[in-house]
Amino acid sequence: ELQQKVEETEMLKLELQMLETERVRLSLVEEKLMDVLQLLQQLRDLNISKRALGKILLSTLESCHDPQPGKAQLLEVLDTLQQELTACELLHKQPMEQAQSPRSLSNPLVISC
């Protein structure tokens, strides 16, 4: 009975470790997604064309093709999209104060189409 309790404890420790690992991964994805949404908000505020935004998105998806999509691919796509959006010339043509207006930072999750 004592051996069974030790085994259960070890299994619970392993499960807790796996849950913590997943929590950290999800936290990283959430941070990356927030960064991407803020960049999209800034570009929308600068009136980027739908065509230009579509090209950025297609370029990102083409550079992240993986035959077996999974958790790692999601983070890779978000990383690449963030890099593509950050490299967008419109963000660099405007002064940083204007590109990061208080309106765009107040609620980065609101993106109207």
Side-chain angles (χ1 to χ4, degrees), residues 3-55:
Q3 179 65 25
Q4 184 180 1
K5 293 287 184 188
V6 168
E7 289 174 5
E8 284 179 17
T9 303
E10 290 301 316
M11 289 291 288
L12 288 172
K13 284 181 182 178
L14 182 60
E15 190 173 329
L16 182 62
Q17 184 179 5
M18 289 172 32
L19 286 172
E20 181 63 20
T21 301
E22 185 66 8
R23 187 193 65 77
V24 169
R25 187 191 71 78
L26 288 174
S27 178
L28 291 172
V29 169
E30 180 184 26
E31 286 177 27
K32 191 63 66 176
L33 188 57
M34 291 297 290
D35 291 344
V36 166
L37 289 173
Q38 285 179 339
L39 289 168
L40 287 170
Q41 178 84 33
Q42 290 172 7
L43 289 172
R44 189 201 63 177
D45 290 346
L46 295 173
N47 295 324
I48 187 172
S49 71
K50 291 179 183 177
R51 174 178 239 148
L53 192 56
K55 285 181 181 181

